Amino acid sequence: TIGAAYHQAMQLVGKTHQATFNATESGGWGLTAGYAYQIAKKVYVQVYFMRITNDTNARYNVVFQGLPSAPGADLMAFGTGLRYQF
């Protein structure tokens, strides 16, 4: 099985009851691609790659990484896994 996803975050713009805000350069985008191969009836091995590109003031991150990134940092992740279906 092959899969891919594209993600995009737009600039942060909004209003509160007291002010309007526009956070310039706060967007970003991400790309995820993965492959899973069935090695037994209920067992799969999988591999994936993820890339996140942030605008200058954005701090989007790889969810499972857990550590905050610097504003504007571009991130990449690679992983493997074994999945068993009960």
Side-chain angles (χ1 to χ4, degrees):
T1 304
I2 297 174
Y6 175 79
H7 320 273
Q8 185 170 9
M10 305 304 282
Q11 304 258 348
L12 184 60
V13 177
K15 272 186 172 180
T16 67
H17 66 284
Q18 296 178 341
T20 299
F21 56 89
N22 184 355
T24 59
E25 293 295 315
S26 62
W29 63 270
L31 179 65
T32 304
Y35 176 74
Y37 180 75
Q38 188 173 9
I39 58 174
K41 185 176 180 180
K42 294 184 175 188
V43 181
Y44 295 81
V45 291
Q46 51 195 26
V47 61
Y48 66 89
F49 172 78
M50 181 185 295
R51 178 185 172 122
I52 296 174
T53 301
N54 286 306
D55 288 348
T56 305
N57 296 319
R59 296 180 68 172
Y60 297 103
N61 204 337
V62 180
V63 174
F64 52 80
Q65 187 176 4
L67 300 173
S69 60
D74 295 335
L75 307 168
M76 287 188 279
F78 176 79
T80 60
L82 181 66
R83 184 177 74 185
Y84 181 81
Q85 293 179 328
F86 293 96

